[in-house]
Amino acid sequence: MFSSPLQRAIKRGMRPGANLVDELRDLSDYAIRSKSDARAICDALRTERSEQSRSPEHYPSRLHALISLFQNVASRAVPAFDVLSAEGLPQLFLIFDSKLQSQDPEDVSDLLFVLKILAMYGTRSGAERIVQAAKFPLDLGASMWHAVLAAFSRDHPHRDYVYRALSDPLPRGFLAVALLDSANDAAIHGALQRHPYDSQAGWRQLQEWLEVTRPDHESYALSAAAALPFINQPARDQLLALALEHVDRRVQLEAAWVASKLGRDSGLKSLVTFCLDVNYSCTAQRYLDELDRADLIPSEVREASFQARAKFAEWLAHPNELGRPPDELEIVDHRQLAWPPESHLRPFWLMRYRLNDRTGLDDDDVGCGVVGSTTWCFYSYEMQQRPLEDVYAFHACWEMECANLIHENEVLDSAEYAPLLRQWSGPAPDAATIARIAEISPKLQTSARIVAVAIATLERQDGWLVLDGPRTEWYPKSEQPDGTDEKVVLKIHVGRQLLGFKGQSKRNDYLVPSTPRRSPQQFVATYERLLREVSEAAPSRQVELVGNYGLLALDFEKYINALVESGSN
């Protein structure tokens, strides 16, 4: 009988001693459509429940891996969806009912993932269990609550039931913010009659978030400000005044949007001012566009270089990147490049940023990134210490890898590719080991289909030989920033060929001495000054300094090492 790749993976993974998690991980992009695939999932869930197997050596759990398949259904229109709804959801209900009281971290993680699936499938029974878990309460600080409640913000049949149930009393912890964000999204898109925070208790909570200035809670203030157009008087004006005066510029920007949405000219004027600030310009322009007032965007903001700086600043400020806008941002280079694979001329900008250390314990963060195709910055490769062409080249090669036009592989048997070393016509290396190869798609129209890099020593210098036919080059280690490895050199070389860069840059000219780090004595003095501050600081500042992820807690080991180095008692 025919069986699908998913069915075969489940069968292999469910055998005694097998690793179901790894079997299913290899099918992460598999779209589930058929009834037979759906029934295989349901059967595996029944077996897993009855055996109650534990897999502490695996993360995520076997159960988590099976549950995750529910989100791989191609659409609600395929046969698999009906089978999983009719036969799979009852299995998830039984898992939920049996594990809700558990204190085991693995069970809690699995249950939160069950809630995400129940929210996606849109049944009343699922919505009721989500409310039950919230009121239990089930790990109120878990970030997964955001994904669970996000499913209710758009066209969910039981959105109003869940919002009403969770609004009285309002939840605590991160769950409270997840509810706020979900309701804000629904309200912005006109799908909400009454905001769950539009109550006396809700107003108090919004005020608390707007008054707290802890760095790890700034996003809470942003969410609180976004709710204000949907809050009735008399609380709204008081809360808006707090948002407009908030210490965080992002909260002020959100408040300007609120004021504009409420028809106040002061809000529009403030948005125009924010347009001129490169760190907030992209958001301010979007808000004016949403308000049908794009005519107010200043002409200088529309200039291409300003737009490039604004785009990079917004990218850097994303929570997955620096988490806040840079303190300095400058254009290092601007040019037209024939970017692969089409090789059409496109404008590019090379940007350098600086993020100032605000603690006195760390160095400033300095880096360099590219705007023009995929806006991106590689923080760990010291791009600010490389020639401009090398930075563009690295980005070009990386983008082609993401597009599956270049495939890089580690070489496990160097002898297999040893004949490639004959491409080098210079002095014989003292030692050379081929470490990686790049396989290049014909779509990129390069001369070579395989380019290799060898770790080598040449005339008593360590470095890398990149073997690329007549374009074979020697890259001395002394001309590269600290931490450079063969992967970086291979990308730079291949990227230079893709972009048509000829010759080699004077790389030593770009290397700068490392910024002198604080002495151990300076570090100890700063750390102990902050330590003395704790006893008299406000509660929010105390959490910032000595909480679980507080500044002093994170740098405690560095403090001990600095004490030892400085000879302090």
Side-chain angles (χ1 to χ4, degrees), residues 417-558:
Y417 293 92
L420 294 176
L421 289 168
R422 298 172 191 155
Q423 297 178 9
W424 171 245
S425 59
D430 300 325
T433 302
I434 295 178
R436 297 186 74 80
I437 61 167
E439 300 178 51
I440 304 173
S441 168
K443 294 179 181 179
L444 293 177
Q445 301 179 6
T446 57
S447 300
R449 294 290 174 262
I450 293 181
V451 179
V453 59
I455 301 171
T457 301
L458 186 65
E459 297 181 328
R460 298 184 180 182
Q461 281 196 83
D462 292 334
W464 301 271
L465 273 175
V466 179
L467 306 163
D468 185 19
R471 296 161 301 283
T472 295
E473 292 281 355
W474 166 245
Y475 292 79
K477 189 174 183 178
S478 60
E479 295 181 1
Q480 300 287 337
D482 292 342
T484 298
D485 60 17
E486 64 275 8
K487 292 183 288 187
V488 175
V489 172
L490 183 58
K491 280 186 173 63
I492 288 173
H493 179 91
V494 172
R496 291 181 71 94
Q497 311 316 310
L498 292 173
L499 296 175
F501 294 150
K502 305 297 183 182
Q504 293 292 342
S505 303
K506 295 181 179 179
R507 293 187 172 87
N508 281 330
D509 292 347
Y510 292 85
L511 295 177
V512 295
S514 298
T515 304
R517 296 187 176 275
R518 294 172 177 81
S519 69
Q521 293 82 0
Q522 290 173 319
F523 187 92
V524 168
T526 302
Y527 191 96
E528 292 182 347
R529 174 179 57 78
L530 294 172
L531 198 59
R532 290 191 296 271
E533 181 186 333
V534 173
S535 60
E536 297 183 2
S540 60
R541 176 63 171 166
Q542 289 177 336
V543 172
E544 181 184 343
L545 291 172
V546 295
N548 287 338
Y549 296 97
L551 176 63
L552 297 180
L554 291 174
D555 280 339
F556 180 71
E557 186 174 346
K558 289 167 63 176

Side-chain angles (χ1 to χ4, degrees), residues 311-312 315 339 346-349 369-378 395-396 398-400 402-403:
K311 187 174 184 178
F312 192 54
W315 187 90
W339 202 254
R346 301 171 62 177
F348 280 80
W349 290 264
V370 168
V371 176
S373 53
T374 301
T375 300
W376 201 263
C377 178
F378 290 96
H395 278 257
W398 169 73
E399 284 192 30
M400 296 309 102
C402 293

Side-chain angles (χ1 to χ4, degrees), residues 159-160 163 182-184 186-196 230:
R159 178 188 59 240
D160 293 339
Y163 285 175
S182 178
N184 286 349
I188 288 170
H189 291 89
L192 194 62
Q193 292 183 345
R194 182 177 177 83
H195 198 290
F230 317 108

Side-chain angles (χ1 to χ4, degrees), residues 160-439:
D160 293 339
Y161 158 71
V162 169
Y163 285 175
R164 283 196 304 271
L166 296 185
S167 65
D168 188 18
L170 287 166
R172 294 172 285 109
F174 185 74
L175 172 56
V177 181
L179 174 63
L180 176 61
D181 286 339
S182 178
N184 286 349
D185 191 35
I188 288 170
H189 291 89
L192 194 62
Q193 292 183 345
R194 182 177 177 83
H195 198 290
Y197 277 81
D198 192 12
S199 65
Q200 290 282 351
W203 302 342
R204 286 193 297 272
Q205 180 61 83
L206 294 176
Q207 180 175 341
E208 180 181 326
W209 282 327
L210 287 168
E211 289 177 339
V212 173
T213 57
R214 282 170 47 185
D216 59 335
H217 276 51
E218 288 169 350
S219 64
Y220 293 13
L222 273 172
S223 297
L228 298 186
F230 317 108
I231 300 301
N232 288 311
Q233 293 285 31
R236 187 179 63 205
D237 283 351
Q238 178 185 353
L239 294 172
L240 180 56
L242 284 174
L244 288 167
E245 297 298 325
H246 199 275
V247 295
D248 191 292
R249 291 273 287 164
R250 291 170 294 181
V251 178
Q252 295 175 24
L253 173 55
E254 198 71 18
W257 167 77
V258 172
S260 301
K261 195 170 180 66
L262 295 173
R264 301 179 185 180
D265 289 341
S266 60
L268 291 173
K269 291 178 181 177
S270 184
L271 287 179
V272 170
T273 301
F274 272 108
C275 282
L276 296 167
D277 187 328
V278 69
N279 283 335
Y280 307 98
S281 184
C282 287
T283 302
Q285 290 177 65
R286 279 196 300 272
Y287 284 166
L288 285 172
D289 191 53
E290 290 171 8
L291 294 162
D292 291 327
R293 294 310 311 267
D295 59 297
L296 296 177
I297 298 174
S299 58
E300 57 265 46
V301 170
R302 300 184 185 277
E303 190 270 326
S305 291
F306 186 97
Q307 289 287 326
R309 292 173 63 223
K311 187 174 184 178
F312 192 54
E314 181 181 50
W315 187 90
L316 289 171
H318 191 277
N320 291 343
E321 307 308 329
L322 299 181
R324 63 181 172 92
D327 294 292
E328 297 176 18
L329 186 63
E330 63 173 324
I331 296 174
V332 178
D333 185 63
H334 171 51
R335 64 181 72 182
Q336 299 277 331
L337 290 171
W339 202 254
E342 296 86 0
S343 294
H344 296 156
L345 282 176
R346 301 171 62 177
F348 280 80
W349 290 264
L350 197 59
M351 305 276 189
R352 181 183 289 120
Y353 74 84
R354 177 182 294 275
L355 191 72
N356 294 334
D357 169 52
R358 297 177 177 177
T359 68
L361 298 175
D362 294 312
D363 299 316
D364 292 348
D365 184 351
V366 179
C368 198
V370 168
V371 176
S373 53
T374 301
T375 300
W376 201 263
C377 178
F378 290 96
Y379 300 113
S380 59
Y381 294 130
E382 303 295 344
M383 292 297 183
Q384 72 280 4
Q385 294 195 54
R386 299 185 184 278
L388 309 180
E389 289 82 3
D390 283 5
V391 180
Y392 288 125
F394 189 99
H395 278 257
C397 185
W398 169 73
E399 284 192 30
M400 296 309 102
E401 286 185 65
C402 293
N404 292 317
L405 296 174
I406 294 177
H407 296 278
E408 272 195 38
N409 294 290
E410 181 182 3
V411 171
L412 301 179
D413 182 4
S414 180
E416 180 181 355
Y417 293 92
L420 294 176
L421 289 168
R422 298 172 191 155
Q423 297 178 9
W424 171 245
S425 59
D430 300 325
T433 302
I434 295 178
R436 297 186 74 80
I437 61 167
E439 300 178 51

Side-chain angles (χ1 to χ4, degrees), residues 24-279:
L24 295 179
R25 185 180 290 121
D26 293 339
L27 293 173
S28 58
D29 296 328
Y30 184 87
I32 299 169
R33 293 181 171 86
S34 69
K35 290 182 179 180
S36 56
D37 273 352
R39 290 198 174 104
I41 297 168
C42 295
D43 291 343
L45 270 176
R46 290 189 191 94
T47 301
E48 188 69 15
R49 281 200 317 105
S50 62
E51 293 180 356
Q52 295 184 337
S53 59
R54 307 295 291 174
S55 52
E57 73 279 9
H58 297 149
Y59 183 82
S61 69
R62 288 162 54 97
L63 185 60
H64 190 286
L66 286 170
I67 295 168
S68 70
L69 296 173
F70 280 71
Q71 62 188 359
N72 289 6
V73 175
S75 73
R76 289 176 173 262
V78 300
F81 182 84
D82 292 336
V83 173
L84 289 175
S85 296
E87 301 178 28
L89 291 186
Q91 296 293 323
L92 299 187
F93 296 156
L94 290 171
I95 292 168
F96 175 89
D97 296 343
S98 65
K99 293 181 179 288
L100 182 58
Q101 303 289 333
S102 174
Q103 300 298 313
D104 186 281
E106 185 177 292
D107 286 341
V108 171
S109 176
D110 289 343
L111 278 175
L112 286 163
F113 201 63
V114 166
L115 297 183
K116 179 185 177 185
I117 301 302
L118 296 182
M120 289 173 57
Y121 276 69
T123 67
R124 175 71 180 205
S125 295
E128 288 172 351
R129 282 171 171 81
I130 290 168
V131 170
Q132 183 183 356
K135 291 182 175 293
F136 173 65
L138 177 67
D139 196 0
L140 297 182
S143 60
M144 181 62 80
W145 276 113
H146 205 279
V148 173
L149 293 182
F152 289 88
S153 65
R154 308 281 184 90
D155 301 323
H156 196 287
H158 304 291
R159 178 188 59 240
D160 293 339
Y161 158 71
V162 169
Y163 285 175
R164 283 196 304 271
L166 296 185
S167 65
D168 188 18
L170 287 166
R172 294 172 285 109
F174 185 74
L175 172 56
V177 181
L179 174 63
L180 176 61
D181 286 339
S182 178
N184 286 349
D185 191 35
I188 288 170
H189 291 89
L192 194 62
Q193 292 183 345
R194 182 177 177 83
H195 198 290
Y197 277 81
D198 192 12
S199 65
Q200 290 282 351
W203 302 342
R204 286 193 297 272
Q205 180 61 83
L206 294 176
Q207 180 175 341
E208 180 181 326
W209 282 327
L210 287 168
E211 289 177 339
V212 173
T213 57
R214 282 170 47 185
D216 59 335
H217 276 51
E218 288 169 350
S219 64
Y220 293 13
L222 273 172
S223 297
L228 298 186
F230 317 108
I231 300 301
N232 288 311
Q233 293 285 31
R236 187 179 63 205
D237 283 351
Q238 178 185 353
L239 294 172
L240 180 56
L242 284 174
L244 288 167
E245 297 298 325
H246 199 275
V247 295
D248 191 292
R249 291 273 287 164
R250 291 170 294 181
V251 178
Q252 295 175 24
L253 173 55
E254 198 71 18
W257 167 77
V258 172
S260 301
K261 195 170 180 66
L262 295 173
R264 301 179 185 180
D265 289 341
S266 60
L268 291 173
K269 291 178 181 177
S270 184
L271 287 179
V272 170
T273 301
F274 272 108
C275 282
L276 296 167
D277 187 328
V278 69
N279 283 335

